[in-house]
Amino acid sequence: MYLIAQNLPHRFQHGCTIDMCVHSSSPLYICLCHYIYIVCGISLPLPPKKLIGNMDREFIAERQRGLQTYLDSITQHPLLSSSMFVKKFLDPNNYSANYTEIALQQVSMFFRSDPKWEVQEPLRDVGWRIRKQYFLIKNKEQPKERYLLSWVDLGPDKFLSDKDLQSAMKLLTSLSTPYLCPLLFSSTSESSALLIRPFNERGSLRDHICKVKPRESYLKKYCNPKKSQGLELQHIKLYGRQILEGLKLLHDGGVFFGHLHASNVIVDDGVCRLMDVENGMLGVPSALRPAFTQLRKINSTESIDVFCFGHLLYEMTYGRPPDSVPIDQYPAVPYTAVVSVLQSILSTEACKSGMPTVSELMQTPLFSDVHLQHSEKLQIKVPSRLKEALKTAKESLEKRLQEEQRVLHQHRRLTRAQSHHGSEEEKKRRKILARKVGNAVVHTQSSGASSPPTCPSSPTPPSTTGTPVCLSVSLSLCLSVCLSVCLSVCLSLFGKVSDRLCSSPLLARTC
């Protein structure tokens, strides 16, 4: 099945489309459906087929709608839509590269200059990012220890210069704090970065919530987990407070994150550590960017982290991430203090008026009484030059986000206007209005037939070039009515005035 699935994009590329699959056995869609069911455990039924009458126009239209609904359900699923297999199936031209092989070549070139590292095996499909690959490696000087190597492409949100980026990565490798996962080595190039950190056998916080093995495929682990369960209140309080401490540590040091989710949190001896802190500096887009881009109040790096924390808190409470945001109705849960914090972040009111800061969340009753093992004040000492570069990069990141939100807001308004314009009620209303205006025009023209013979012809209505059809029709009709009425009155007055002028002895000859 896997080999067949790998060949589907190639076959799809050579001309097999939805229209061709309508009245055939649809092998591409059947294999895709089986692949999703076997790997992810998700059942997505295809529209029914029939052998006789499969060329009927009604059947073809019905099957087209069914296949479109099937594809919509795949592309709207947050994990399936980001998988490499689905992207290859839908767009083989832009996703034909073998990123695992590219990453392996980059890693091999790096190991030539540093031979103490040795690749044990590639960890395929562990992460959801297409342009980020993972490898299990070991240090020849410490053969019993295993490490995680990640190779990632630089993203569109990279606003640090190459020199400043190297300084920032050097800073992260020198940090030793309890709430950040240690980064042992980093190397950046013009287009990618290579990172080495300890490999955690217990997996991430999401692995703990879903009760799955860390090294399995992320689609198999997270698409349809059967044993996922929310955490107990004491763990929600402790883990939540530790995560907030890590966020505050980064914000106080001027380091922007934006990549907080359950897969980027490691639980090590009862302490939560944030992982992939470097993603923001490398310009990698956030996993929740499609969600908070639609909310214009989330326009700063701190508000992004708070929004992501709300998602994570929801998953720790209910055992699964929220389906959509805003959320105003929450499933029954015995922890009222948790629901109040969730409402302050994920409710409609919070998304419209603004959400709390990290410091304000730490002062809520849910987290304020948590006893921490590391009570000393932690801080990140950032050189002044790098701090200024990070500040400039953060402002550029926020500006780009705000511009995307503005464009999306305009697009949504235009879409709503087009939807309203094309609705049946609006079409019926325009027909009634046009009929009324047309009757008024006919009535005006019939009443204007008795006007004096000296009445000039009606002026041509102004041009409506570039105006939408609905507006041009309405404006032309309204203008014709108004002009006709006004001209009738004016011409009648003009006729009386002209009669008086012509009766004058001085102007009688001219008239």
Side-chain angles (χ1 to χ4, degrees):
M1 176 61 69
Y2 182 77
L3 293 177
I4 295 176
Q6 290 298 308
N7 290 327
L8 288 182
H10 177 74
R11 295 172 61 189
F12 187 81
Q13 185 177 5
H14 285 76
C16 189
T17 62
I18 282 184
D19 294 333
M20 295 177 63
C21 294
V22 167
H23 36 261
S24 67
S25 59
S26 306
L28 298 179
Y29 291 89
I30 293 174
C31 289
L32 177 63
C33 186
H34 289 174
Y35 178 82
I36 292 175
Y37 179 76
I38 292 174
V39 176
C40 312
I42 299 177
S43 179
L44 299 174
L46 285 167
K49 306 185 298 293
K50 63 178 181 178
L51 297 177
I52 301 175
N54 59 3
M55 296 298 293
D56 295 341
R57 184 171 299 177
E58 294 182 358
F59 169 75
I60 293 176
E62 178 185 358
R63 186 155 176 79
Q64 282 180 329
R65 290 192 296 268
L67 289 174
Q68 190 62 58
T69 302
Y70 171 75
L71 291 178
D72 290 343
S73 62
I74 294 175
T75 55
Q76 292 172 7
H77 194 285
L79 292 180
L80 287 179
S81 60
S82 62
S83 66
M84 186 62 176
F85 174 74
V86 172
K87 287 184 179 295
K88 274 188 175 182
F89 178 82
L90 297 176
D91 190 5
N93 293 327
N94 291 324
Y95 294 94
S96 58
N98 190 333
Y99 292 101
T100 302
E101 293 297 329
I102 295 175
L104 193 57
Q105 292 175 6
Q106 298 284 338
V107 172
S108 300
M109 291 176 62
F110 161 72
F111 285 156
R112 290 178 184 176
S113 60
D114 196 345
K116 70 178 181 180
W117 299 101
E118 180 181 348
V119 176
Q120 289 187 300
E121 60 176 305
L123 300 177
R124 300 179 183 274
D125 301 327
V126 170
W128 64 275
R129 293 188 184 276
I130 294 176
R131 293 174 175 84
K132 188 170 187 178
Q133 303 294 324
Y134 296 92
F135 301 87
L136 197 63
I137 66 172
K138 69 177 182 179
N139 191 332
K140 295 180 181 179
E141 299 175 357
Q142 299 172 337
K144 294 184 179 181
E145 298 290 334
R146 293 197 294 178
Y147 300 91
L148 181 67
L149 182 146
S150 58
W151 172 88
V152 58
D153 260 350
L154 302 183
D157 290 332
K158 174 187 171 293
F159 295 103
L160 289 172
S161 65
D162 294 341
K163 183 177 180 180
D164 291 331
L165 179 59
Q166 292 177 1
S167 300
M169 301 304 293
K170 184 178 180 180
L171 171 68
L172 293 180
T173 55
S174 64
L175 292 180
S176 179
T177 61
Y179 303 121
L180 301 180
C181 184
L183 185 63
L184 304 180
F185 178 84
S186 65
S187 175
T188 59
S189 64
E190 295 181 355
S191 60
S192 62
L194 185 145
L195 311 137
I196 299 177
R197 52 173 47 94
F199 178 72
N200 193 300
E201 296 286 350
R202 299 177 182 178
S204 64
L205 178 58
R206 179 164 292 166
D207 294 332
H208 180 60
I209 293 174
C210 296
K211 303 184 185 307
V212 294
K213 297 179 180 180
R215 296 176 61 178
E216 291 181 347
S217 166
Y218 82 99
L219 288 176
K220 185 177 182 180
K221 292 191 296 183
Y222 305 140
C223 264
N224 191 23
K226 297 179 175 56
K227 298 181 180 180
S228 62
Q229 185 178 3
L231 305 179
E232 297 181 358
L233 180 59
Q234 57 179 352
H235 290 140
I236 294 175
K237 292 168 65 72
L238 177 61
Y239 295 168
R241 177 59 186 271
Q242 292 173 346
I243 292 170
L244 290 173
E245 290 286 344
L247 291 177
K248 189 174 186 304
L249 178 64
L250 293 175
H251 294 169
D252 292 344
V255 180
F256 48 89
F257 186 26
H259 291 262
L260 176 63
H261 53 81
S263 294
N264 277 350
V265 177
I266 300 295
V267 182
D268 188 8
D269 293 333
V271 179
C272 281
R273 301 175 183 268
L274 303 183
M275 196 172 72
D276 287 354
V277 176
E278 70 282 349
N279 276 359
M281 302 176 185
L282 298 176
V284 180
S286 172
L288 296 179
R289 189 181 184 91
F292 61 71
T293 303
Q294 303 182 36
L295 306 172
R296 301 190 73 178
K297 284 295 182 180
I298 305 178
N299 52 18
S300 64
T301 54
E302 183 173 12
S303 62
I304 291 174
D305 284 335
V306 171
F307 179 78
C308 295
F309 177 78
H311 262 252
L312 177 55
L313 183 61
Y314 186 100
E315 187 171 354
M316 288 194 296
T317 305
Y318 297 106
R320 57 180 178 82
D323 296 327
S324 62
V325 177
I327 305 173
D328 294 318
Q329 299 294 331
Y330 295 87
V333 65
Y335 318 134
T336 56
V338 178
V339 175
S340 64
V341 175
L342 289 174
Q343 289 175 337
S344 68
I345 302 175
L346 303 179
S347 65
T348 302
E349 181 64 25
C351 293
K352 287 184 177 180
S353 60
M355 49 193 60
T357 63
V358 172
S359 299
E360 290 173 348
L361 287 174
M362 294 171 65
Q363 299 302 319
T364 58
L366 181 62
F367 303 115
S368 59
D369 60 347
V370 176
H371 176 70
L372 299 174
Q373 297 179 0
H374 308 276
S375 57
E376 68 275 8
K377 186 177 180 180
L378 303 174
Q379 61 179 352
I380 300 177
K381 296 182 179 180
V382 183
S384 57
R385 184 182 181 281
L386 179 59
K387 181 175 290 187
E388 189 64 27
L390 289 173
K391 180 181 178 181
T392 304
K394 184 177 71 172
E395 293 173 352
S396 301
L397 174 64
E398 294 172 348
K399 183 178 180 181
R400 181 173 183 267
L401 172 61
Q402 294 166 11
E403 180 63 22
E404 285 186 6
Q405 291 173 333
R406 184 186 65 80
V407 173
L408 179 61
H409 180 67
Q410 292 178 349
H411 175 71
R412 291 170 65 180
R413 291 181 60 184
L414 179 61
T415 303
R416 286 197 299 266
Q418 291 175 344
S419 177
H420 174 70
H421 171 68
S423 63
E424 294 298 329
E425 295 182 359
E426 180 64 17
K427 291 179 179 179
K428 188 181 297 183
R429 189 189 69 81
R430 289 199 301 271
K431 288 181 180 179
I432 296 173
L433 179 61
R435 192 179 300 117
K436 290 181 179 180
V437 173
N439 293 336
V441 171
V442 172
H443 176 72
T444 304
Q445 290 177 350
S446 61
S447 62
S450 59
S451 300
T454 55
C455 175
S457 60
S458 300
T460 304
S463 175
T464 57
T465 303
T467 310
V469 177
C470 62
L471 293 179
S472 63
V473 173
S474 301
L475 287 174
S476 60
L477 291 174
C478 293
L479 284 173
S480 61
V481 173
C482 296
L483 288 173
S484 300
V485 174
C486 294
L487 284 172
S488 299
V489 176
C490 294
L491 289 173
S492 61
L493 294 175
F494 176 76
K496 295 179 181 179
V497 173
S498 62
D499 292 339
R500 292 182 181 179
L501 290 174
C502 291
S503 62
S504 172
L506 296 176
L507 298 177
R509 190 172 302 176
T510 306
C511 292

